[in-house]
Amino acid sequence: MTPDDRQVQVLFEAAKAVQANAYAPYSHFHVGAAIRTRSGAVFTGANMENAAYPQGVCAEGGALSAMVTAGEREIAEVLVIGPEGDHLTTPCGGCRQKIREFAQLDTPIHVAGPEGVRRSFTMAELLPESFGPAHLGV
Ligand code: THU
């Protein structure tokens, strides 16, 4: 295992651990997310649904909130894990834009199932020609 592989493995285990805490009584679709920042810290989130459906929060949203709350702003790598089955649980459109706020175009986003990483993408692959902070001078 290369050092890079080991870093992905850390994200995989962190995301898988919190996936077990997902609150998804409506979809039964449990998702976990882990973000490693440039400082080396890892932040996690699990999806949190709500009886008023639009009020739910994706796993990525939870991990991003934890990251920002800790004062971190620079994403180095992301991993999202979905449940059993053939799906590639890629971040939804809204989450792609939220990740984009704190990522670079070449930031890796790994998509995993219970057995491990299934595919890896860059931020630019998941959100081509994206609108980002630079458009507003940030
Ligand atoms: N979900 C996530 O948390 N992240 C994704 O990347 C895809 C979808 C959640 C939202 C909702 O709670 C459930 O999965 C079904 O859409």
Side-chain angles (χ1 to χ4, degrees):
M1 230 191 219
T2 67
D4 281 0
D5 291 341
R6 265 192 287 280
Q7 284 194 314
V8 175
Q9 189 62 23
V10 167
L11 288 185
F12 174 73
E13 281 163 19
K16 191 168 186 174
V18 298
Q19 182 188 24
N21 298 332
Y23 176 74
Y26 306 104
S27 72
H28 307 288
F29 196 85
H30 292 216
V31 184
I35 296 171
R36 184 168 51 77
T37 56
R38 288 196 182 282
S39 75
V42 172
F43 299 94
T44 56
N47 54 329
M48 178 183 74
E49 297 183 347
N50 191 281
Y53 292 168
Q55 300 305 327
V57 177
C58 286
E60 295 90 327
L64 285 163
S65 291
M67 179 193 86
V68 168
T69 301
E72 299 251 8
R73 300 288 187 267
E74 290 184 288
I75 296 176
E77 200 160 19
V78 180
L79 186 143
V80 180
I81 180 172
E84 306 261 359
D86 294 338
H87 300 101
L88 262 192
T89 304
T90 46
C92 75
C95 286
R96 293 178 195 205
Q97 185 68 45
K98 289 182 184 117
I99 294 166
R100 169 72 180 88
E101 186 72 18
F102 305 104
Q104 303 303 312
L105 296 179
D106 62 353
T107 299
I109 300 173
H110 307 285
V111 177
E115 75 293 345
V117 172
R118 293 181 176 176
R119 293 242 341 237
S120 298
F121 302 91
T122 63
M123 182 75 252
E125 285 174 321
L126 291 187
L127 201 64
E129 307 301 335
S130 58
F131 185 82
H135 287 86
L136 299 176
V138 175

